[in-house]
Amino acid sequence: MTTEPQPLLRIDELSTATVWPTSAVVAPGGDIAVAGVSLAELAERYGTPAYVLDEGEVRSRARAWRAALPQADVVYAAKAFLCRAVVDWVEQEGLGLDVCSAGELELAATRGFPPEHIVLHGNAKSPEDLRAALRLGVGRIVIDSDNEIARLAAQVAGPDPQQVMVRVVPGVAAGAHHKVRTGVAGQKFGMSIADGDALDAVGRILGQHRLRLVGLHCHLGSQITRAEPFAEAVRRVVAFMALIRERFGVTLPELDMGGGFAVAYLPGDPAPAPSVYGRLITETLAEACAAHDLPVPRLTVEPGRSIMAPAGIALYRVLSVKHTGGRAFVAVDGGMSDNPRPALYGARYTVRRVGRASDAPMRTATVVGRHCEAGDVLAESVELPDDIRAGDVLAVPAAGAYQVSMASGYNMTGRPPVVAVSEGRSRLLVRRESFDDLRMRDVGL
Ligand code: LLP
């Protein structure tokens, strides 16, 4: 007997999104199917740990951003997760790409991503980063510090100046954790508007004929659950644009407001839709420009997590269940090497067993990894069936961003594969890192 698949999620009017991709349905036998593919079967076929990416979800989120800001440039922040297939999806959906290293840039170049739609930023760009950016002809380089100005200008060889932006710090505190807040002074990114550093840098860039200053760049932080901090930042940055015009007689045509748009990790977490952020940012920009009698600059936003996180699911197999100190620990075959976020930011996740149904009551457990650290926790205090046992498969949603891209080689367990699912089929995008891969880099004795 087959049961009709039931949608797992509904995004309600207030857009407190649930945590599963839109395509996810409850399948028979306690399973979940994503894009028509059973998660339990994927665990069987590709092994665990494995990361599953719903291609349709990535594409529809990219489209939602474009629809939210039809007059703006939407550039995907590659650091959330990048592989060649994602480069293609991003290009096909009409987005640009935000990169922060020669590595991300070279990967995009292997697919012929149009370099003029690439933005390179970074607080400390290496000579290789700058060389690759200039050789490939990236559209914008975001200058992050004073000493970068002359260094970059000296490297521009062609007849045309390199288009640059200045990363400014507006003094707006926002973001899920102090480690991802970049809108205030006292951290390593950008130049402060308040202390005059940003204005000095603008003057210096304007004096370099090999650089063309096209606008300002600002990134407040990450996992910002309200639109208002973006509006406040827009007001401050536009006021600064007015100051630049007053001081240097230059009207900057572009403004990049960075990324930082939140997603739901736990059901009910606040995660405003792209249209909510988009509306407030555009309205505030128009108002602020009118107030300063400035033309409205071309806007860019750089969502990373918002496009990628909800499309990903991590799959693990349970290796052991231990009851100790009044707590239940469910240990799986992955951990902080594929998801360092709980250890780094205290991030919380929800977990679901897939592929085996039972009538067992739910019980609070902590899902831990297999690494040699007590802090190797994947999901603190989650509800799992009481009969959970070794061999069961666990699925962790909202796993598409900053997990595989931040995966490490800790304990030489090898980084997990990434599998795309789309229209009832799966395909391997990134294969599992094998012992041979690790061994091959070990070249000396
Ligand atoms: N633009 C710039 C200049 C950025 O530095 C970042 C992220 C983004 C855009 C994209 O931000 P998103 O839309 O993804 O929030 N590893 C942390 C997040 C670090 C974000 C760093 N910069 C985490 O796992 O929460």
Side-chain angles (χ1 to χ4, degrees), residues 49-181:
Y51 278 73
V52 177
L53 207 52
D54 180 341
E55 177 179 348
E57 184 76 19
V58 175
R59 289 181 182 275
S60 69
R61 289 185 166 266
R63 282 199 285 273
W65 272 105
R66 290 207 62 201
L69 289 162
Q71 312 298 332
D73 291 320
V74 180
V75 305
Y76 167 65
K79 60 178 76 66
F81 172 67
L82 198 70
C83 64
R84 293 177 314 139
V86 168
V87 173
D88 287 1
W89 303 345
V90 166
E91 189 192 353
Q92 287 158 10
E93 297 304 335
L95 275 62
L97 201 60
D98 156 35
V99 300
C100 64
S101 71
E104 291 174 352
L105 188 50
E106 296 285 6
L107 193 79
T110 67
R111 299 302 301 157
F113 194 93
E116 63 275 18
H117 295 149
I118 299 182
V119 182
L120 171 77
H121 73 266
N123 71 301
K125 297 171 201 77
S126 70
E128 294 74 36
D129 295 336
L130 291 179
R131 262 201 302 275
L134 292 170
R135 173 171 48 83
L136 295 166
V138 306
R140 310 277 179 278
I141 296 179
V142 181
I143 292 186
D144 199 284
S145 65
D146 198 36
N147 60 49
E148 211 169 61
I149 300 169
R151 188 156 73 96
L152 176 60
Q155 284 188 47
V156 177
D160 298 328
Q162 171 64 45
Q163 307 207 87
V164 298
M165 306 186 104
V166 172
R167 168 112 176 220
V168 300
V169 177
V172 175
H177 191 275
H178 73 90
K179 288 178 186 161
V180 297
R181 279 184 209 139

Side-chain angles (χ1 to χ4, degrees), residues 75-80 98 100 121-122 167 176 179-180 182 189 217-219 221-224 256-262 265 301-307 341 344-345 349 401-403 405-406:
V75 305
Y76 167 65
K79 60 178 76 66
D98 156 35
C100 64
H121 73 266
R167 168 112 176 220
K179 288 178 186 161
V180 297
T182 52
F189 290 99
H217 182 286
C218 159
H219 171 75
S222 207
Q223 187 62 4
I224 300 168
D256 185 334
M257 288 305 295
F261 313 102
Y265 283 95
V301 289
E302 304 175 341
R305 186 193 316 267
S306 162
I307 289 173
R341 302 193 65 260
L344 270 175
Y345 321 112
Y349 286 84
Y402 303 112
Q403 293 184 206
S405 68
M406 291 174 75

Side-chain angles (χ1 to χ4, degrees), residues 58-424:
V58 175
R59 289 181 182 275
S60 69
R61 289 185 166 266
R63 282 199 285 273
W65 272 105
R66 290 207 62 201
L69 289 162
Q71 312 298 332
D73 291 320
V74 180
V75 305
Y76 167 65
K79 60 178 76 66
F81 172 67
L82 198 70
C83 64
R84 293 177 314 139
V86 168
V87 173
D88 287 1
W89 303 345
V90 166
E91 189 192 353
Q92 287 158 10
E93 297 304 335
L95 275 62
L97 201 60
D98 156 35
V99 300
C100 64
S101 71
E104 291 174 352
L105 188 50
E106 296 285 6
L107 193 79
T110 67
R111 299 302 301 157
F113 194 93
E116 63 275 18
H117 295 149
I118 299 182
V119 182
L120 171 77
H121 73 266
N123 71 301
K125 297 171 201 77
S126 70
E128 294 74 36
D129 295 336
L130 291 179
R131 262 201 302 275
L134 292 170
R135 173 171 48 83
L136 295 166
V138 306
R140 310 277 179 278
I141 296 179
V142 181
I143 292 186
D144 199 284
S145 65
D146 198 36
N147 60 49
E148 211 169 61
I149 300 169
R151 188 156 73 96
L152 176 60
Q155 284 188 47
V156 177
D160 298 328
Q162 171 64 45
Q163 307 207 87
V164 298
M165 306 186 104
V166 172
R167 168 112 176 220
V168 300
V169 177
V172 175
H177 191 275
H178 73 90
K179 288 178 186 161
V180 297
R181 279 184 209 139
T182 52
V184 281
Q187 48 75 46
K188 69 177 185 172
F189 290 99
M191 287 171 278
S192 164
I193 293 177
D195 68 11
D197 283 357
L199 195 66
D200 289 347
V202 166
R204 219 156 289 172
I205 294 169
L206 291 172
Q208 292 280 357
H209 67 280
R210 288 182 174 168
L211 305 179
R212 179 184 298 143
L213 182 63
V214 293
L216 301 182
H217 182 286
C218 159
H219 171 75
L220 292 180
S222 207
Q223 187 62 4
I224 300 168
T225 53
R226 294 180 311 118
E228 181 48 42
F230 291 94
E232 182 54 26
V234 164
R235 287 188 279 270
R236 293 181 184 208
V237 172
V238 169
F240 183 55
M241 284 179 145
L243 180 62
I244 291 171
R245 181 187 52 189
E246 188 187 307
R247 187 66 59 88
F248 303 109
V250 170
T251 303
L252 296 176
E254 297 184 16
L255 173 61
D256 185 334
M257 288 305 295
F261 313 102
V263 304
Y265 283 95
L266 300 178
D269 276 355
S275 55
V276 174
Y277 291 110
R279 200 174 313 125
L280 190 63
I281 291 173
T282 24
E283 282 172 11
T284 310
L285 184 57
E287 280 165 22
C289 289
H292 291 281
D293 197 21
L294 279 169
V296 176
R298 172 108 188 148
L299 177 69
T300 298
V301 289
E302 304 175 341
R305 186 193 316 267
S306 162
I307 289 173
M308 202 49 73
I313 294 157
L315 295 177
Y316 303 101
R317 207 170 279 277
V318 175
L319 296 179
S320 84
V321 178
K322 186 184 282 178
H323 298 275
T324 178
R327 295 175 69 190
F329 290 96
V330 175
V332 299
D333 54 3
M336 65 193 302
S337 68
D338 65 87
N339 184 6
R341 302 193 65 260
L344 270 175
Y345 321 112
R348 300 287 309 274
Y349 286 84
T350 168
V351 179
R352 203 168 150 133
R353 180 171 72 182
V354 292
R356 189 165 77 85
S358 77
D359 294 331
M362 299 300 266
R363 170 188 170 121
T364 304
T366 293
V367 178
V368 296
R370 57 172 299 196
H371 294 286
C372 298
E373 279 199 39
D376 176 26
V377 172
L378 281 174
E380 188 76 56
S381 303
V382 289
E383 294 295 298
L384 283 169
D386 198 22
D387 65 347
I388 191 96
R389 62 177 187 228
D392 280 344
V393 175
L394 298 186
V396 179
Y402 303 112
Q403 293 184 206
V404 173
S405 68
M406 291 174 75
S408 75
Y410 190 35
N411 295 156
M412 292 197 181
T413 54
R415 285 172 291 177
V418 180
V419 176
V421 289
S422 175
E423 296 174 357

